Amino acid sequence: MKYVHESELLESRELRGRVVDRVEALDRVKALRTLPDGLHVTTRMVAAYYEVDIEAIKKIVVRHRAELEASGMYTLRGAELHEFLRDNVSLRTPGRGLTLYPRRAVLNVGMLLRDSVVARQVRSYLLDVEAEAHRSAAREPVDNFPLRALHELERYVQLLVDERMVAVAEESVRQVIRTAVTPLLNHLIETSGEHRQRLVEIRDDLQRLQMSRDWRPDLG
């Protein structure tokens, strides 16, 4: 994200969307008092945080409801509202409902409020953090993906070559056994008397091993 001015942040929903998760900005500027659940605040509490009249917050909600709801703002009504008030008996609310704001929505309000010193400080913090992140990203070395891909390809080809060489060597050993060792054993069997049985066993074992798929000669 390139460095932007405060006015651009006020006017662009897209830019606000890029920084709306940086909720640490709220407590960096001023401690945010929340409801006992530690997660939400009311419209009155948002107004107190930004040190503006509650009507200023209500106007922001009317103009930007969809954006604020996307940031987590919602309104409790009916049975859901009564249950919430049971757990928060100190709250007073009109009969139409109670609007709650998580930290993302409170931050979102701050990016829309023009006439608030606290909101301007929040926006300034956000822009400073984003500018520093942009500078840090520019200083990081570029990830040379094509070069890394080439090295990986070379390593893979070498593995294939090595595997092929092993296969060729194995086949050479098998060929020697078929053309030299086995015939020699057959000759010895035919001409030997005393050790004939042992030679037959060696030949049979060797032939079984050759036929086995799992057999691989020890090539060192």
Side-chain angles (χ1 to χ4, degrees):
M1 175 180 176
K2 70 180 182 63
Y3 183 81
V4 296
H5 295 290
E6 181 184 1
S7 59
E8 295 178 79
L9 192 60
L10 284 163
E11 299 298 332
S12 172
R13 180 174 176 176
E14 180 185 356
L15 292 180
R16 292 192 294 271
R18 295 182 189 179
V19 296
V20 74
D21 288 318
R22 293 192 175 277
V23 295
E24 76 280 0
L26 297 172
D27 289 316
R28 291 281 186 173
V29 173
K30 177 184 176 182
L32 176 66
R33 187 171 69 89
T34 65
L35 292 172
D37 65 3
L39 301 173
H40 299 93
V41 300
T42 64
T43 303
R44 189 174 300 278
M45 295 166 77
V46 175
Y49 176 83
Y50 286 113
E51 300 176 6
V52 296
D53 189 271
I54 192 172
E55 293 303 318
I57 305 300
K58 290 181 178 179
K59 288 179 182 178
I60 292 292
V61 171
V62 170
R63 293 171 185 165
H64 303 277
R65 177 173 292 277
E67 180 178 343
L68 293 173
E69 287 179 344
S71 295
M73 183 192 77
Y74 63 101
T75 301
L76 295 174
R77 294 187 175 86
E80 192 177 17
L81 173 59
H82 292 309
E83 182 180 352
F84 186 84
L85 291 177
R86 252 197 330 268
D87 298 329
N88 298 271
V89 293
S90 62
L91 284 177
R92 292 178 299 170
T93 179
R96 289 179 297 178
L98 175 67
T99 300
L100 297 177
Y101 307 73
R103 288 177 177 271
R104 291 177 82 252
V106 176
L107 182 61
N108 209 148
V109 169
M111 291 187 282
L112 294 163
L113 266 175
R114 294 180 180 274
D115 299 323
S116 165
V117 173
V118 176
R120 284 198 294 271
Q121 291 173 342
V122 168
R123 290 193 292 271
S124 177
Y125 174 85
L126 290 172
L127 295 176
D128 288 346
V129 169
E130 285 302 304
E132 178 56 33
H134 181 70
R135 286 192 293 268
S136 297
R139 289 194 295 267
E140 291 179 358
V142 176
D143 183 13
N144 195 336
F145 175 76
L147 185 58
R148 288 192 298 109
L150 179 59
H151 289 161
E152 285 298 312
L153 181 59
E154 289 176 345
R155 188 173 69 86
Y156 179 67
V157 170
Q158 186 60 49
L159 287 174
L160 290 179
V161 170
D162 292 343
E163 184 176 342
R164 179 58 182 163
M165 290 177 66
V166 169
V168 170
E170 290 175 357
E171 181 57 32
S172 297
V173 173
R174 291 178 186 271
Q175 182 69 17
V176 169
I177 292 173
R178 285 196 300 268
T179 60
V181 177
T182 300
L184 177 59
L185 283 172
N186 289 335
H187 175 72
L188 290 173
I189 290 169
E190 292 175 0
T191 59
S192 174
E194 182 181 355
H195 301 291
R196 177 185 177 84
Q197 184 58 37
R198 180 54 183 157
L199 291 170
V200 169
E201 292 175 358
I202 293 174
R203 182 193 63 186
D204 292 344
D205 287 342
L206 189 57
Q207 289 176 340
R208 280 196 298 272
L209 286 172
Q210 280 186 270
M211 295 175 63
S212 172
R213 287 188 174 182
D214 296 330
W215 179 77
R216 299 185 68 178
D218 185 359
L219 301 177

